[in-house]
């Protein structure tokens, strides 16, 4: 169980837990995920829903930080629900849940703004790590899966013109953009470019701001859409 951060004098810094909504039509699956999440003092399930339409209502009522969203559900599927949730002001991050690796529906959800995907049979420790990673603004897709995933759903790839905003990136930012688009972590980029991780994080933040992107997953989508990966 993660320890709380402390100040330089050793005082515990109490932070609010990450607030999570579960959207899945299988009650038993939701119960299992809730049990795993609620066992962690830095994570909290604040709502559940059994279909996409109910999920949208629960998200609006609870204003969570993150949504775990099944792809295939009755009434309204996870793709449509994700799209509607992400149109809301101050939208939460969404991680889609899928049964199959490189699921095309999950890939489409990521293209639509989701912050990553998880297999429904992932180990509990991986799920918890992924939730924390996405909440911190990073992706939950490994480098090799990133390349396979976006090659799988690129629809020909590189067909869209590069936006003018990309021209505003500095040479260094373009180098880091390319490495992030290839799925490298901050630590790997720092080692490759002989920079500190803090410096890489600052560059990534500036890149996302200049390109009006939500997170690193959207950076990868941007790169594949415009032939930059």
């Amino acid at each position: 169980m993660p320890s709380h951060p402390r100040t330089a004098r050793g005082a515990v810094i109490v932070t609010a837990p990450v607030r999570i909504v579960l959207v899945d039509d299988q009650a038993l699956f939701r119960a299992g995920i809730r049990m795993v999440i609620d066992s962690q003092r830095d994570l909290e399930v604040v709502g559940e829903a059994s279909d996409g339409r109910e999920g949208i209502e629960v998200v609006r009522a609870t204003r969570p930080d993150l949504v775990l969203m099944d792809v295939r559900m009755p009434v309204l599927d996870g793709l449509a629900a994700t799209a509607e949730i992400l149109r809301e002001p101050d939208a939460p991050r969404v991680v889609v849940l899928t049964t199959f690796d490189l699921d095309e529906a999950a890939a489409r959800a990521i293209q639509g703004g989701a912050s990553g995907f998880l297999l429904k049979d992932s180990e509990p420790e991986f799920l918890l790590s992924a939730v924390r990673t996405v909440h911190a603004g990073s992706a939950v897709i490994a480098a090799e899966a990133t390349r396979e995933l976006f090659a799988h759903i690129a629809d020909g790839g590189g067909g869209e013109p590069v936006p003018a905003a990309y021209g505003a990136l500095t040479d260094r930012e373009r180098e880091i953009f390319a490495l992030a688009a290839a799925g490298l972590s901050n630590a790997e980029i720092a080692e490759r470019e002989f920079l500190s991780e803090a410096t890489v994080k600052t560059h990534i933040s500036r890149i996302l701001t200049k390109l009006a992107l939500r997170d690193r997953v959207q950076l990868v989508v941007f790169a594949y859409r415009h032939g930059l990966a």
Side-chain angles (χ1 to χ4, degrees):
M1 196 173 288
S3 59
H4 285 297
R6 294 175 179 270
T7 66
R9 295 185 178 183
V12 173
I13 301 173
V14 178
T15 56
V18 180
R19 305 173 73 255
I20 300 163
V21 163
L22 307 177
V23 186
D24 191 286
D25 61 335
Q26 298 178 8
L28 189 59
F29 178 79
R30 294 200 312 272
I33 297 298
R34 175 185 277 272
M35 185 179 302
V36 170
I37 290 174
D38 283 346
S39 70
Q40 307 295 299
R41 59 190 175 196
D42 64 326
L43 307 175
E44 175 187 17
V45 175
V46 296
E48 297 183 26
S50 59
D51 62 66
R53 177 56 56 196
E54 183 184 2
I56 293 168
E57 296 171 357
V58 171
V59 166
R60 286 173 176 166
T62 59
R63 311 304 302 176
D65 302 305
L66 185 143
V67 180
L68 292 176
M69 175 77 72
D70 189 18
V71 172
R72 294 173 176 81
M73 294 179 292
V75 184
L76 188 71
D77 66 29
L79 294 177
T82 294
E84 189 162 340
I85 287 170
L86 292 177
R87 284 195 292 268
E88 297 280 327
D90 299 319
R93 297 186 186 280
V94 177
V95 175
V96 293
L97 302 168
T98 180
T99 305
F100 303 104
D101 195 7
L102 303 184
D103 186 293
E104 184 176 355
R108 286 168 54 204
I110 291 171
Q111 281 193 309
S115 294
F117 77 89
L118 288 172
L119 296 179
K120 296 182 79 170
D121 61 356
S122 296
E123 292 294 327
E125 293 78 9
F126 182 78
L127 181 143
L128 294 171
S129 175
V131 166
R132 294 182 178 109
T133 298
V134 170
H135 179 62
S138 296
V140 294
I141 306 172
E144 61 274 11
T146 298
R147 289 188 288 271
E148 292 178 19
L149 175 65
F150 291 103
H152 179 67
I153 51 86
D155 294 327
E160 298 184 23
V162 177
Y166 181 76
L169 300 184
T170 66
D171 290 343
R172 172 64 89 180
E173 287 169 348
R174 291 189 188 192
E175 291 175 6
I176 292 175
F177 171 94
L179 294 173
L184 273 67
S185 68
N186 285 356
E188 291 168 331
I189 295 173
E191 182 177 0
R192 180 82 64 90
E193 296 294 297
F194 303 102
L195 300 170
S196 69
E197 285 191 51
T199 299
V200 172
K201 185 175 181 180
T202 297
H203 280 304
I204 292 291
S205 178
R206 288 174 179 167
I207 292 167
L208 295 178
T209 298
K210 288 182 178 181
L211 300 180
L213 302 174
R214 285 171 58 86
D215 53 35
R216 293 171 72 110
V217 173
Q218 296 310 300
L219 183 153
V220 177
V221 173
F222 181 97
Y224 273 85
R225 279 180 175 168
H226 302 294
L228 298 169

